[in-house]
Amino acid sequence: MMNEELLKELKNISILCVEDEDEIRQTIVSTLKYYFKEVYEASDGNEGFELYEYYKPKIVLTDIQMKNCNGLEFVKKIRKIDNETMVIMLTAYSNEEYLMELINLNINHFILKPLNSKKLNDALEKYLQKAIKPILLCEDLILDLQKRELIYQNEQIIHLRKREKDFLQLLYYKNGAILKYEEIEFELWNDKEMTSHALKSFIKELRHKIPVNVIKNIPQEGYTLQH
């Protein structure tokens, strides 16, 4: 069994399951619902990519062999625009014929069918270890994702709200690209409307908390991380 802390982390995360065999998919989805806040499902890569674009799940669990659009084609489409989403590949046999392609696609984990709790736990723990590792926002500023704190110059500790932590994490994962207003609304406002006043107040308060200016506004577009 996975420990309670890790299970709690997963309850904030969404996952997309793509599998063309209905019975197998239903079994996997009902298992995933125990772990995750949101579980989306698709029966091939084309449908999977539409759901991925709309919901932006943190993890994608996909079969390789599928009719219409297979797992490789599907993951290629994702990797063209996103290197962060964790991809777990399900396969019925060893991946030797696909190996080079899979390595190039930055697949995070493979699970040999049939899927069971132990294999799933191993893959999810791997995701969580990466997801909760502290990240360096700039030279003097570390974001501790697990404790939800900023550490300035290795001594000053700044406590963050969940939305503040998520915002800084999103900025970091953008890797210099712009975090657009609509992405902020989708990821942080949870189906509520984000007014420009609410966003400005949120940013102002967060900037006030942080001793260095790491949040750069790109007018009319969004924000980037200032190193």
Side-chain angles (χ1 to χ4, degrees):
M1 274 296 289
M2 193 179 292
N3 78 43
E4 288 301 308
E5 273 306 300
L6 293 182
L7 271 175
K8 233 188 282 174
E9 285 290 328
L10 288 177
K11 286 293 177 196
N12 298 317
I13 292 167
S14 56
I15 188 168
L16 167 63
C17 172
V18 188
E19 162 65 68
D20 64 345
E21 291 183 53
D22 292 348
E23 235 172 274
I24 294 176
R25 190 178 67 255
Q26 281 155 18
T27 306
I28 294 171
V29 165
S30 65
T31 305
L32 292 174
K33 282 181 175 169
Y34 168 72
Y35 293 97
F36 292 91
K37 174 188 169 189
E38 299 286 355
V39 180
Y40 310 110
E41 57 178 299
S43 57
D44 65 44
N46 291 326
E47 189 189 355
F49 189 67
E50 278 180 29
L51 291 175
Y52 158 79
E53 282 198 303
Y54 188 78
Y55 291 110
K56 295 287 192 293
K58 298 284 184 263
I59 304 177
V60 171
L61 174 67
T62 179
D63 195 5
I64 289 188
Q65 294 292 104
M66 290 185 290
K67 297 182 279 289
N68 298 334
C69 172
N70 71 25
L72 283 176
E73 295 307 313
F74 167 50
V75 176
K76 269 184 203 164
K77 288 184 188 176
I78 291 177
R79 287 297 183 236
K80 272 185 189 164
I81 52 174
D82 166 12
N83 262 319
E84 281 308 318
T85 296
M86 181 184 192
V87 176
I88 303 170
M89 274 285 188
L90 278 174
T91 175
Y93 45 84
S94 92
N95 296 302
E96 280 173 32
E97 61 181 289
Y98 298 122
L99 201 55
M100 280 319 294
E101 213 168 346
L102 291 167
I103 288 167
N104 292 336
L105 286 173
N106 182 20
I107 305 297
N108 304 86
H109 203 88
F110 297 100
I111 296 179
L112 206 56
K113 283 181 172 179
L115 178 65
N116 61 32
S117 296
K118 162 110 180 56
K119 291 175 186 175
L120 184 61
N121 276 357
D122 289 348
L124 296 179
E125 285 191 2
K126 187 175 176 183
Y127 167 80
L128 285 167
Q129 279 151 14
K130 176 180 177 258
I132 58 183
K133 238 173 30 187
I135 55 183
L136 187 68
L137 292 178
C138 68
E139 199 181 324
D140 290 325
L141 200 61
I142 291 165
L143 174 59
D144 187 324
L145 296 166
Q146 204 165 9
K147 291 182 182 167
R148 216 192 281 166
E149 292 171 347
L150 282 172
I151 300 133
Y152 180 58
Q153 294 184 335
N154 289 326
E155 51 185 42
Q156 187 183 343
I157 290 172
I158 300 139
H159 299 285
L160 298 172
R161 296 198 184 106
K162 183 180 182 304
R163 187 180 277 173
E164 293 169 336
K165 184 267 289 184
D166 290 345
F167 175 74
L168 291 172
Q169 191 176 0
L170 285 171
L171 275 185
Y172 175 79
Y173 286 145
K174 275 290 175 182
N175 205 14
I178 298 169
L179 177 63
K180 297 197 178 332
Y181 294 134
E182 52 269 32
E183 290 176 89
I184 298 169
E185 182 171 24
F186 181 85
E187 293 280 353
L188 304 184
W189 258 254
N190 297 326
D191 300 329
K192 297 187 187 83
E193 192 192 344
M194 178 187 78
T195 63
S196 60
H197 174 71
L199 180 62
K200 277 179 188 161
S201 302
F202 167 73
I203 297 293
K204 187 179 176 185
E205 206 174 305
L206 181 54
R207 277 185 171 140
H208 190 67
K209 274 187 177 184
I210 306 174
V212 282
N213 185 19
V214 290
I215 303 166
K216 183 182 180 186
N217 179 229
I218 310 297
Q220 320 292 287
E221 290 188 66
Y223 295 89
T224 62
L225 197 59
Q226 196 159 259
H227 293 286

